Amino acid sequence: MSSLNGWHKGECTIQEKLGFHGAVSQSWTQIEGELPEQHRNFYSTCLPFIPITTLDSTGRPWSSILAGPEGETGWASSETYDQLSMRAKVWDGDPLKANADYHADTTDASQRKMLIAGIGVQFSTRRRNKFAGSVKTIETQSGLLDICTSVNEAIGNCPKYITIRDLVPFPHTKPRVTYQEINLTPTGRLSSDLIAFIHSSDTVFLGSSYSASERDAPRFPSHLGMNHRGGRPGFVRVRNDGHTLVLPDYSGNRLMTSLGNVEATPLASLTFPSFINGSLLYVTGIAHNLVGAPAQVIMPSQNVLTTIEITGYIFIEDALPVRQREGTEPQRSPYAPPVKLLKEEQASSTYFSTEDTIHATLYRIKLHSSDLATFTFESPHKLNVIPGQAAILNFTSFLGASPYKHMAPENPNLVNDDRIRTWTISWCSSWTSVADGVGTTFSLTMRLKPGGAVTGALFNIANKLSAVRPELLEDSRPLGLNVTLVGIAGGFVLEPTDPHEDTKIAVSREEEQMSVQKNASRKLLWIAGGIGITPFLAMLSGIPLYSAEYEITLLLSTREPDVMLSLLSHAIEVAAHEVKLVVHVFSSIKQFKNSLPSSVSLHCHYGRITSSFVSGFKAECVYVCGPEIFEREVTQGVVGKVRREGFSY
C-alpha cells in the first residue's frame, strides 16, 4: 500500500511540461509505504554499498556512499517491513558524518528529524530498488556507523542505463581527501583533473530533496530522493565556467520523481564513483530543469536536461571498498544514447534557430550496393560547410515522432530515438568552383544499419524506386520528402597551413573559396575503416578550396574495395584538381577493379591494417575515421598529432 497521497506540485509540473501527466497520474500508487520482502532480501544480501542522500546544515542535499566494512555484502538488515538498518564503513570526508552531527546537535526541533533516501544497485544484474524515509537512530560503534532508518517509501527503479560490472571486494583502502570546497564561491571552479574525471564517468548517483511548504506538508511531507543516472562515458558535461554540470535526461519510467523534486526545490547532489581506483567526487549545488528550446540552447538536440551549479564539492581518493575485477570490461547499456556535447564545446559547429526552420528535400539517390548508398538533398538556403563536417538532420517530419517505449529489448535504440541523425557530408555544391544560385545541394553517403529507423526507411524507398520507378532515383524531388536541417557540425577538417592560425577555417557567406596562407607541400596520413572513408571523400572534393599543396597517403580497410575505390575516384574527379595521392587498400578480397585515375598510386594488401604498418609513415598529421576499436588498434604507437572521427549510434 502506498504511503503517498498523490504527486506533489513539482512532480506534477515536470510531468505536465513533458506531456506525461495523463499517463502517470495514478502511478504514485506504485510507490509502496514499506519494504516488500524482495527488497528486504535485496538490501540484506546483494549489495556491497548503498548510495544515500542526506541534508547538510543549510538544507543542501549530498549523495554519500555507505559500504560494508570489507566491501562484502550482508552489512545491511531489515528487521521489520518499515525498517532498514546498516552497519557501515564511512570514511573521513564523506558528507554523511557532518550531516549526522548537525542533526544530532541542532537546537532547532524542526531539524532534528534526519531525512534519508537511498538506492541499491546490483551492478552484475542491473537489479535496483529505492527507499526513502528518516533516520531513527545513528551512532558510532567500533569505528563503524550504525544507522537505523524508518522507511515509508519503496519502489523498483528503471534498469535501462546501468552499466554491468563485475565488482569484487577491495578492503584495504586508504581514503584521503585531495580536494574540498564545502562552500564554493560563485567564481570558483573545478580543477581540470576533476573535470576530466567527470567526463570519464559513466555512472552518477543523483540526490534530490522536496521541502514542503507549511500548507502542503500535511499531504505531501518533505522527503529526499536518491537515484542512479548512467550513460556512455562523458554523458555528464561541464560548462566552460568550470562549476556548472549538465545532466541530460534520458527516457525512463516517466514518473519524474527526481526532476520533480528539483522542480519544487531547486537543489541537487551528484556523486561520481570510479570503480577502477575507488575515487569519489561529491558535488552539491543549485539545480534547474530545462525543457525544449532552453535545453537545446545549452545542449543541442537534447530536449530535457538539468543544470547543477556547484556550491560545494569533495574529492576522495581510494575510498570505495569495491573495484572492477581485473581483466574484465564494463558492459555498457544498449539503451544509452551517444554522448551529446554542449554547444559551447562545438566552436566549429552551427545550429540553426528553431524559429527559422531550414528544410532540405531529397533530391537524388545513388545505390552503390545493397547496404551502401548516397542520398543527395537540396536546400533553398546558402549553407557554409567545411569539407569533413556533418549535417544534423531531423527526420520527424519524414518518419513521425517516435512513440514512447519504456523498454525495447528487440531494438534498444528506439527508446531515446529523437529522429535526429548526423552524417558526414561527402559532397557539397558550395565546394565547386561555380556554386549555383542561392541554395545548397549536399550528399550523404551512408550505410544501412540493421534495425535503423532512418536508414531502413531511406533504403526501403531507394530499393522500391529502383524496382518500379528508377527515373525517380535521378530526380527524387517529386516525392516531396522533406527533412529539417538542425545544424552543421564537426571539427574533423583540414587545418590551415599556418600552424599559428586558428584551427577553424572560417567560411564566408559571400565568398565561395576559403583562403589560407600557402605553405610548402603538407604530408598527411589518412586512415579509414570502411564507411569511415566519407570525410576523406569530402576533403578530396574540397581540396581546390585550399591554396596549399598536399601529399596524402590513404590507408583504407574495406570488405568492398570496388565500391570504395569508385567513390574515391568520383571525389577526385569532382575536385578537378591534381592530388598527390597514394592509396593502400587492405581487404580480404584479393582481386578488384582499379577505378582510380592513373595519377594515383594504388597498393593492395591482403588482411588488416596493422599498427606496425602505420608506424612506418611519417606525416605532419594523422587523420583516422572508423569504429572505436579500429581507431584504437591502428594508432597504437603513432607518434605525433592524431585527429579522430568515430562512429556512434
Side-chain angles (χ1 to χ4, degrees):
M1 179 178 178
S2 177
S3 66
L4 303 184
N5 298 301
W7 298 120
H8 65 62
K9 62 181 181 181
E11 292 163 331
C12 290
T13 298
I14 191 66
Q15 291 166 2
E16 289 169 356
K17 284 182 179 180
L18 299 177
F20 297 160
H21 188 62
V24 300
S25 61
Q26 298 302 311
S27 297
W28 56 270
T29 57
Q30 299 174 19
I31 303 176
E32 302 192 46
E34 57 187 20
L35 291 167
E37 185 66 27
Q38 183 188 40
H39 289 208
R40 297 174 68 197
N41 292 334
F42 177 67
Y43 291 116
S44 301
T45 63
C46 298
L47 305 172
F49 70 92
I50 298 176
I52 65 164
T53 305
T54 59
L55 300 179
D56 68 10
S57 60
T58 64
R60 296 180 302 177
W62 288 86
S63 304
S64 295
I65 303 290
L66 298 182
E70 303 295 323
E72 303 280 358
T73 60
W75 55 280
S77 61
S78 178
E79 293 77 12
T80 63
Y81 287 100
D82 64 350
Q83 183 172 305
L84 181 63
S85 299
M86 295 166 281
R87 194 159 201 239
K89 177 181 181 179
V90 181
W91 37 87
D92 289 341
D94 188 289
L96 177 61
K97 286 191 172 185
N99 295 352
D101 289 343
Y102 163 71
H103 287 281
D105 298 339
T106 182
T107 57
D108 184 347
S110 65
Q111 297 299 318
R112 286 179 189 157
K113 182 179 180 180
M114 184 176 179
L115 298 176
I116 191 170
I119 186 170
V121 179
Q122 188 176 39
F123 281 90
S124 60
T125 65
R126 292 195 175 107
R127 286 183 65 194
R128 67 283 165 255
N129 294 297
K130 299 193 296 184
F131 72 89
S134 59
V135 175
K136 294 172 68 174
T137 61
I138 183 168
E139 56 186 35
T140 302
Q141 289 190 11
S142 304
L144 299 177
L145 209 58
D146 281 348
I147 306 172
C148 181
T149 65
S150 176
V151 176
N152 57 20
E153 293 184 31
I155 189 174
N157 198 42
C158 179
K160 288 203 290 283
Y161 307 108
I162 297 172
T163 296
I164 288 181
R165 282 184 161 89
D166 183 4
L167 299 179
V168 295
F170 192 90
H172 305 298
T173 59
K174 296 180 180 179
R176 56 190 178 275
V177 177
T178 53
Y179 292 98
Q180 184 167 336
E181 290 286 350
I182 299 300
N183 294 292
L184 185 67
T185 65
T187 58
R189 56 184 297 125
L190 297 177
S191 64
S192 58
D193 54 334
L194 293 185
I195 292 174
F197 183 82
I198 293 171
H199 287 166
S200 68
S201 297
D202 61 15
T203 299
V204 66
F205 300 109
L206 169 64
S208 61
S209 66
Y210 167 69
S211 180
S213 66
E214 186 175 343
R215 183 184 67 179
D216 292 339
R219 187 178 179 190
F220 305 109
S222 298
H223 59 263
L224 304 183
M226 166 52 73
N227 221 326
H228 164 278
R229 289 288 189 266
R232 303 188 191 188
F235 77 104
V236 179
R237 308 306 298 171
V238 183
R239 300 204 68 176
N240 287 343
D241 62 15
H243 66 252
T244 302
L245 307 186
V246 179
L247 174 65
D249 186 68
Y250 299 151
S251 177
N253 57 18
R254 302 191 292 184
L255 302 186
M256 314 308 292
T257 54
S258 296
L259 269 61
N261 286 347
V262 169
E263 199 74 16
T265 307
L267 299 168
S269 57
L270 296 174
T271 292
F272 299 85
S274 168
F275 297 103
I276 301 301
N277 60 31
S279 296
L280 294 165
L281 173 61
Y282 309 79
V283 305
T284 188
I286 300 167
H288 296 287
N289 299 322
L290 299 177
V291 177
Q296 294 174 19
V297 167
I298 294 175
M299 182 178 279
S301 304
Q302 179 63 36
N303 194 52
V304 186
L305 58 81
T306 302
T307 61
I308 300 95
E309 183 182 342
I310 299 173
T311 58
Y313 68 92
I314 306 166
F315 185 70
I316 307 178
E317 296 180 352
D318 193 19
L320 195 65
V322 296
R323 303 293 159 89
Q324 187 168 301
R325 187 185 299 274
E326 189 173 350
T328 66
E329 293 291 332
Q331 182 181 331
R332 309 290 181 203
S333 168
Y335 290 96
V339 171
K340 293 180 179 177
L341 300 180
L342 304 176
K343 186 174 183 179
E344 62 196 35
E345 294 180 276
Q346 306 177 67
S348 58
S349 303
T350 301
Y351 288 89
F352 305 119
S353 169
T354 55
E355 299 174 357
D356 186 21
T357 304
I358 294 181
H359 293 289
T361 302
L362 184 62
Y363 176 65
R364 186 185 302 117
I365 304 171
K366 183 173 180 57
L367 285 164
H368 305 297
S369 67
S370 61
D371 66 349
L372 188 69
T374 297
F375 296 85
T376 300
F377 291 83
E378 183 181 65
S379 172
H381 298 268
K382 184 73 172 177
L383 302 176
N384 297 323
V385 182
I386 302 173
Q389 288 192 307
I392 308 171
L393 299 171
N394 188 334
F395 285 83
T396 300
S397 61
F398 179 51
L399 297 174
S402 180
Y404 170 76
K405 290 179 180 288
H406 181 220
M407 304 292 284
E410 75 289 350
N411 191 351
N413 291 327
L414 295 177
V415 169
N416 284 287
D417 188 359
D418 56 8
R419 303 305 202 206
I420 294 176
R421 301 292 188 273
T422 301
W423 280 287
T424 299
I425 296 172
S426 53
W427 173 82
C428 184
S429 59
S430 63
W431 303 340
T432 62
S433 57
V434 181
D436 53 343
V438 295
T440 305
T441 306
F442 59 92
S443 298
L444 310 173
T445 300
M446 63 181 70
R447 179 81 70 187
L448 172 64
K449 183 186 179 186
V454 175
T455 58
L458 289 172
F459 274 80
N460 281 339
I461 291 171
N463 290 327
K464 288 179 181 178
L465 292 180
S466 180
V468 300
R469 295 288 303 275
E471 72 278 7
L472 289 177
L473 292 174
E474 190 60 32
D475 187 353
S476 309
R477 288 174 293 183
L479 298 175
L481 298 178
N482 298 313
V483 296
T484 300
L485 187 60
V486 177
I488 303 295
F492 192 71
V493 300
L494 290 178
E495 295 182 351
T497 54
D498 184 347
H500 299 292
E501 291 183 17
D502 191 278
T503 56
K504 176 187 174 185
I505 300 176
V507 183
S508 169
R509 290 186 178 271
E510 292 77 23
E511 297 177 357
E512 296 172 350
Q513 292 191 343
M514 291 174 287
S515 177
V516 294
Q517 181 178 331
K518 188 170 182 179
N519 208 337
S521 181
R522 302 181 63 197
K523 293 184 178 181
L524 303 178
L525 177 61
W526 294 351
I527 309 174
I531 193 63
I533 196 175
T534 308
F536 301 123
L537 299 179
M539 292 178 191
L540 281 173
S541 298
I543 271 185
L545 300 172
Y546 298 81
S547 58
E549 294 294 332
Y550 293 93
E551 292 182 25
I552 299 168
T553 299
L554 170 64
L555 311 185
L556 171 63
S557 177
T558 177
R559 296 190 181 110
E560 43 192 356
D562 286 322
V563 173
M564 293 298 171
L565 290 180
S566 176
L567 291 172
L568 192 60
S569 178
H570 178 70
I572 296 171
E573 180 184 344
V574 167
H577 183 81
E578 186 172 335
V579 181
K580 296 178 182 177
L581 178 63
V582 177
V583 178
H584 292 264
V585 174
F586 292 76
S587 181
S588 58
I589 297 175
K590 294 184 177 180
Q591 292 185 342
F592 48 85
K593 180 181 178 182
N594 179 10
S595 55
L596 297 176
S598 58
S599 59
V600 178
S601 176
L602 176 65
H603 304 270
C604 305
H605 307 267
Y606 183 75
R608 298 182 176 184
I609 302 174
T610 63
S611 57
S612 59
F613 186 86
V614 174
S615 63
F617 291 90
K618 292 184 178 181
E620 180 181 325
C621 185
V622 179
Y623 289 73
V624 188
C625 185
E628 182 180 353
I629 189 170
F630 169 83
E631 293 188 349
R632 189 166 57 244
E633 289 175 352
V634 300
T635 56
Q636 287 180 0
V638 172
V639 178
K641 190 171 186 178
V642 178
R643 303 192 67 182
R644 295 177 173 85
E645 176 83 340
F647 305 151
S648 59
Y649 295 93

